[in-house]
Amino acid sequence: MNKKIAVMRGDGIGPEIVTEAIRVLEKVAEKFGHSFSYTELLMGGCSIDATGEPLTEETLASAKACDAVLLGAIGGDVGKSPWYRLPPDKRPEAGLLKLRKGLGLFANIRPAKLFPELADACPLKPELTEGGFDFVVMRELTGGLYFGARETVTENGVRHAVDTLTYDENEIRRIAVQAFEIARKRNRRVCSVDKANVLDSSRLWRAVAEEVAADYPDVTLTHMLVDNCAMQLVRAPKQFDVILTENMFGDILSDEASMVTGSIGMLASASLGEGSFGLYEPSHGSAPDIAGQDKANPLATILSAAMMLRYSFDMEAEADAVENAVSQVLRDGIRTGDIAAPGETVIGCHAMGTAVCERI
Ligand code: IPM
Ligand code: MG
């Protein structure tokens, strides 16, 4: 198969981790007889430096013309980088939000998995995580507070800021459908997370989740309030299979979920729309403090490329080959600094990419 991949390396460690993911994709192409072409595009701080905009219309159009997007990470040090002296809609993160919206990527899947080889890195007590855990956060990505009307005004000398949390039932239904479809391929349990004891948008969310559940009698739906969910994630993470939630709650809970795995440098993500097009990126940030030093862990980006193979290209065996190679690397005790236990030998980003390629 021939596939066109838009590559957005981004900022900080983005370029180096994407380099390793592309090396892995090339190894897959060679082994399985595919050909991938790469269109390099600028988004985030690097695009601001080159064009003055975090994402230009031409870049968005070029991305749309590809089969999928592979993204590194964007943004810089908020305290230091000149990007953060620009108006909010000109900053690196605005490019990411425009990209998600412009590509119609309403479903964000963030797996949270305890890798058995890295169990020592998990900050929870071993008795809470015995046997491991493996769930995904399905975060709505193009609605809610992130895209509702906002403004800051001064009335009678008093500054007043407003953000709007808005959802219509169609936005809720399409992400709920995705959550149930994914649950069918997993352990058939959806936990819908909301704040229905306070918010109207959450009461609608809950009602629509129930309606969708009626079409999936083989999947069990439960509801949980978001504050309770934040607590349950550190109390009993094993209880979850698919967590379905709105944009802002998902932003917060997915960071918490990644922390309880103890290895955020390992966690991939996929953002999907209606068709097979998707955007794939690691769940971690651009880590400007270690950029360009060959210290970053490329495994989350490599695992994101595996998700691309599976979800956008329908290449199951190829995705398995990458995921198995990563597991083998871990079993072989190969570690970047972020996942090394005291005394373990640490290798760099490029050597880690090589280690994965060798096991495909
Ligand atoms: C994420 C990030 C973004 C978000 C930021 C960078 C705008 O935190 O992908 O989770 O809030 O969605
Ligand atoms: Mg976030």
Side-chain angles (χ1 to χ4, degrees):
M1 256 192 261
N2 296 326
K3 293 289 176 189
K4 282 166 68 178
I5 302 172
V7 176
M8 297 183 174
R9 293 171 184 267
D11 311 315
I13 59 171
E16 51 200 296
I17 55 181
V18 167
T19 295
E20 300 314 314
I22 290 178
R23 289 177 68 213
V24 169
L25 285 170
E26 282 306 288
K27 187 71 198 264
V28 166
E30 179 195 315
K31 178 122 195 223
F32 290 84
H34 301 303
S35 115
F36 300 134
S37 68
Y38 306 94
T39 306
E40 297 272 351
L41 299 172
L42 295 178
M43 197 274 290
C46 56
S47 173
I48 296 173
D49 290 345
T51 71
E53 296 283 333
L55 174 70
T56 65
E57 292 301 329
E58 300 80 71
T59 302
L60 184 57
S62 306
K64 276 186 190 161
C66 294
D67 297 306
V69 182
L70 179 65
L71 173 66
I74 58 137
D77 189 323
V78 178
K80 291 187 205 143
S81 166
W83 299 329
Y84 297 93
R85 291 195 284 275
L86 296 166
D89 64 333
K90 299 282 182 214
R91 295 179 191 169
E93 288 72 12
L96 185 58
L97 299 186
K98 183 176 167 189
L99 185 68
R100 289 171 178 168
K101 192 76 170 179
L103 297 174
L105 304 171
F106 61 84
N108 181 221
I109 309 173
R110 297 186 173 181
K113 180 176 164 186
L114 187 70
F115 290 87
E117 299 82 1
L118 303 178
D120 286 347
C122 173
L124 301 182
K125 289 200 184 103
E127 59 264 34
L128 299 180
T129 59
E130 221 187 315
F133 57 82
D134 180 353
F135 60 91
V136 299
V137 178
M138 278 287 280
R139 169 188 175 194
E140 201 290 328
L141 204 57
T142 54
L145 273 173
Y146 278 62
F147 293 94
R150 74 174 105 257
E151 65 172 353
T152 305
V153 292
T154 304
E155 275 167 19
N156 303 325
V158 178
R159 285 173 298 161
H160 177 88
V162 54
D163 297 283
T164 320
L165 204 181
T166 159
Y167 273 107
D168 71 37
E169 60 178 304
N170 298 325
E171 291 174 303
I172 302 170
R173 192 169 292 111
R174 63 186 186 179
I175 178 89
V177 166
Q178 288 262 18
F180 279 88
E181 288 292 334
I182 291 212
R184 268 195 173 151
K185 296 184 187 151
R186 298 176 46 94
N187 292 315
R188 297 175 185 264
R189 286 184 289 119
V190 172
C191 177
S192 175
V193 172
D194 60 38
K195 190 70 185 172
N197 52 348
V198 180
L199 303 176
D200 262 31
S201 56
S202 282
R203 287 187 272 269
L204 180 61
W205 185 278
R206 204 174 264 224
V208 175
E210 288 287 345
E211 288 162 23
V212 173
D215 295 333
Y216 294 85
D218 52 323
V219 177
T220 307
L221 171 67
T222 54
H223 302 280
M224 193 178 276
L225 296 173
V226 61
D227 46 352
N228 185 28
C229 183
M231 189 263 278
Q232 295 295 336
L233 280 173
V234 291
R235 197 191 72 90
K238 282 192 277 188
Q239 69 187 286
F240 296 109
D241 180 24
V242 176
I243 292 177
L244 162 66
T245 194
E246 64 94 42
N247 203 346
M248 180 80 173
F249 297 160
D251 179 45
I252 298 166
L253 295 177
S254 63
D255 262 30
E256 188 188 357
S258 69
M259 185 60 215
V260 301
T261 69
S263 35
I264 184 163
M266 300 293 303
L267 299 178
S269 88
S271 302
L272 306 173
E274 295 291 359
S276 61
F277 188 91
L279 178 146
Y280 301 84
E281 59 177 318
S283 284
H284 60 71
S286 62
D289 52 321
I290 57 162
Q293 299 171 34
D294 194 36
K295 283 186 183 163
N297 180 352
L299 293 177
T301 318
I302 290 170
L303 290 169
S304 301
M307 288 182 95
M308 170 187 289
L309 296 170
R310 174 167 288 120
Y311 291 112
S312 281
F313 304 164
D314 213 11
M315 297 178 182
E316 284 289 333
E318 293 83 339
D320 286 344
V322 175
E323 288 168 359
N324 291 338
V326 170
S327 295
Q328 192 58 50
V329 158
L330 295 180
R331 278 196 293 276
D332 292 343
I334 299 169
R335 303 280 187 267
T336 43
D338 59 313
I339 53 172
E344 274 181 330
T345 310
V346 168
I347 62 167
C349 182
H350 187 67
M352 184 56 109
T354 305
V356 175
C357 287
E358 284 167 0
R359 287 163 180 78
I360 287 176

